[in-house]
Amino acid sequence: MKYLKPIFKKIFNPFKRIKIYLKHKAGWLDVPKIIPYRGYGNETDVFIEGMVIEDKGLTKPQDRHKFWHNILATIKRFSSDEIAGVNVRANFLGETQVCETDELGFFSFHFNINNKLKQIDYNKWYTVDFELMDIIIEDQQAIVAKGEVRIISPKKQRIIISDIDDTVLVSHSTQTMRKLRLMLLKNALTRHPFPGVTNFYKALKKGKDDTSNFPFFYVSSSEWNLYDLLEDFFYANELPKGIFLLRKLEYSIYKFWKSGGGSHDHKYDKIKRLLQLYPDQKAILIGDSGQKDPWIYSDIALEYPGRIEAIYIRKIRSRSLFQQEQNIFEKLQNIDTEYLEVESTQTAMEHARAKGYICSV
């Protein structure tokens, strides 16, 4: 019971307290695991987050996996218990900090790196070392992990901010049964990107001179529970390596099909924070019309006039912002923000080439 004291200190949900207690008594409490998410920063400040959860033993996906392997993996992602109230130590560039996980098992670190690096390599991913400082189960070995951080140069011309579901990854977010089928029966290797997305994103990364290495941020309403699936999917499809900014889980395993739904206010907040952290950069925003992207992106552009170069929206629904909000479209034109609704990636790519966002070759 002594091992549960730090956890109980942070758990306010009585049902979850009972669940953790019973699992501990039955010996079912799994080994804890640190999952760091890719961090980001500028020349003075770096931010990195992560979770401490039970290690459910998720294996790397294979294209030959049967449907029951994929169903089991989905259940594991949404049934792992987050470990609250434990201390995680992080070491970055010789500085050590300690953070206590919140009720959902999340930790967050903010490092000030001013004058810590004589010369910053803006094309490099820097390493962060993590260690769990509390004992959760008997005979626990050292729990460590390594994270990555990209420091983005103030001289970069732009950042690329993209949604994921139905923008990059075919998800059928507006059709519950088709969405559920994909979540349960497919994995990162058997799910598909939209045609042309990989080439378009690679071109945006390279920019007009074909060598720019512009940074990518993937801001999505998907939950952090899907982080491993998204990481594997992006790697398998050779999409640009970037920073994922996802959402904390709002639903239990019994409502996992609601993943990616609900309020999308967090996307607005995260994009706004990026624009504030990188005040010298412009941005290109990419999303779809299945949910709130046209309205969120337009509001951002109007709030930060001159900062958003282009908004690309993949048409999922027949409704159009052009038709419903003509005054917003005119306002976007007045602040030199290109707004384009497209049915194919090729159309967006041709527009980007014409505007000089990507190489003309």
Side-chain angles (χ1 to χ4, degrees), residues 9 13 41 51 54 59 66 79 117 121-122 131 158 170 174 184 200 209 247 250-251 297 304 308 353 356:
K9 181 174 63 175
N13 186 320
M51 287 183 72
E54 288 182 282
T59 58
K66 303 297 183 182
S79 64
L117 287 172
D121 186 345
Y122 291 110
E131 182 176 4
R158 70 173 62 95
V170 177
T174 62
L184 288 175
F200 182 38
D209 62 7
R247 189 175 66 175
E250 293 185 1
Y251 303 106
Y297 291 178
Y304 291 87
I308 308 302
R353 186 175 291 115

Side-chain angles (χ1 to χ4, degrees), residues 7 14 31 40 45 55 68 70 85 94 105 113 130 166 180 183 208 237 245-246 263 281 288 298 328 349-350:
I7 301 176
V31 175
Y40 59 96
D45 297 277
D55 187 355
W68 57 81
N70 300 327
I113 62 168
F130 297 94
D166 287 326
L180 184 60
M183 291 183 69
K208 184 178 182 179
N237 289 282
L245 298 174
L246 309 181
S263 170
Q281 279 91 340
D288 64 86
S298 298
I328 292 181
M349 199 163 183
E350 290 171 358

Side-chain angles (χ1 to χ4, degrees), residues 59-327:
T59 58
K60 285 293 183 182
Q62 299 180 22
D63 55 9
R64 66 175 183 271
H65 270 170
K66 303 297 183 182
F67 71 90
W68 57 81
H69 289 120
N70 300 327
I71 291 174
L72 181 60
T74 298
I75 292 172
K76 284 182 176 181
R77 287 188 185 97
F78 286 91
S79 64
S80 294
D81 276 312
E82 309 88 4
I83 300 179
V86 294
N87 290 301
V88 176
R89 180 167 57 201
N91 185 284
F92 181 57
L93 299 179
E95 180 183 346
T96 297
Q97 294 183 15
V98 176
C99 176
E100 184 179 84
T101 58
D102 65 15
E103 187 184 15
L104 295 176
F106 281 86
F107 58 80
S108 178
F109 289 96
H110 172 198
F111 288 92
N112 184 287
I113 62 168
N114 206 11
N115 300 321
K116 284 190 171 64
L117 287 172
K118 293 181 179 178
Q119 184 174 0
I120 298 175
D121 186 345
Y122 291 110
N123 293 313
K124 173 183 176 181
W125 288 84
Y126 287 88
T127 299
V128 187
D129 294 302
F130 297 94
E131 182 176 4
L132 182 64
M133 301 186 67
D134 292 296
I135 302 298
I136 308 302
I137 60 173
E138 294 184 11
D139 302 320
Q140 177 178 305
Q141 302 298 311
I143 307 296
V144 297
K146 288 187 179 294
E148 295 180 297
V149 165
R150 183 172 177 187
I151 302 170
I152 296 166
S153 169
K155 296 180 180 179
K156 284 291 182 188
Q157 179 183 349
R158 70 173 62 95
I159 59 177
I160 316 297
I161 303 174
S162 173
D163 181 39
I164 298 175
D165 289 319
D166 287 326
T167 300
V168 177
L169 173 66
V170 177
S171 303
H172 303 303
S173 297
T174 62
Q175 303 174 59
T176 302
M177 293 309 297
R178 296 183 73 182
K179 172 184 172 181
L180 184 60
R181 182 177 180 273
L182 285 176
M183 291 183 69
L184 288 175
L185 305 184
K186 302 289 185 178
N187 63 36
L189 301 187
T190 55
R191 294 188 66 173
H192 302 291
F194 284 94
V197 165
T198 295
N199 288 337
F200 182 38
Y201 280 34
K202 283 182 175 179
L204 285 172
K205 177 183 177 181
K206 293 178 181 179
K208 184 178 182 179
D209 62 7
D210 211 32
T211 59
S212 291
N213 194 22
F214 290 131
F216 269 75
F217 293 87
Y218 299 104
V219 182
S220 171
S221 292
S222 291
E223 285 80 9
W224 285 111
N225 303 63
L226 297 173
Y227 183 75
D228 71 293
L229 183 147
L230 295 175
E231 235 186 355
D232 291 337
F233 172 84
F234 274 69
Y235 179 79
N237 289 282
E238 299 181 350
L239 287 151
K241 182 177 179 179
I243 294 96
F244 292 99
L245 298 174
L246 309 181
R247 189 175 66 175
K248 293 184 179 182
L249 182 66
E250 293 185 1
Y251 303 106
S252 70
I253 179 60
Y254 307 108
K255 295 182 180 180
F256 68 90
W257 65 85
K258 292 190 175 182
S259 173
S263 170
H264 300 275
D265 291 345
H266 84 102
K267 293 175 72 172
Y268 173 87
D269 293 336
K270 286 181 169 66
I271 295 171
K272 185 174 178 178
R273 181 182 180 187
L274 290 175
L275 293 176
Q276 292 171 344
L277 185 64
Y278 304 113
D280 299 320
Q281 279 91 340
K282 294 188 177 183
I284 290 176
L285 308 182
I286 311 173
D288 64 86
S289 65
Q291 294 172 321
K292 300 293 184 182
D293 290 348
W295 288 267
I296 294 171
Y297 291 178
S298 298
D299 287 345
I300 287 285
L302 294 173
E303 187 171 346
Y304 291 87
R307 296 289 306 280
I308 308 302
E309 292 180 292
I311 297 172
Y312 293 111
I313 298 294
R314 181 181 298 280
K315 291 187 71 172
I316 303 299
R317 297 182 185 271
S318 58
R319 67 185 182 186
S320 169
L321 185 65
F322 286 92
Q323 299 167 348
Q324 297 188 20
E325 302 288 351
Q326 185 65 29
N327 61 325

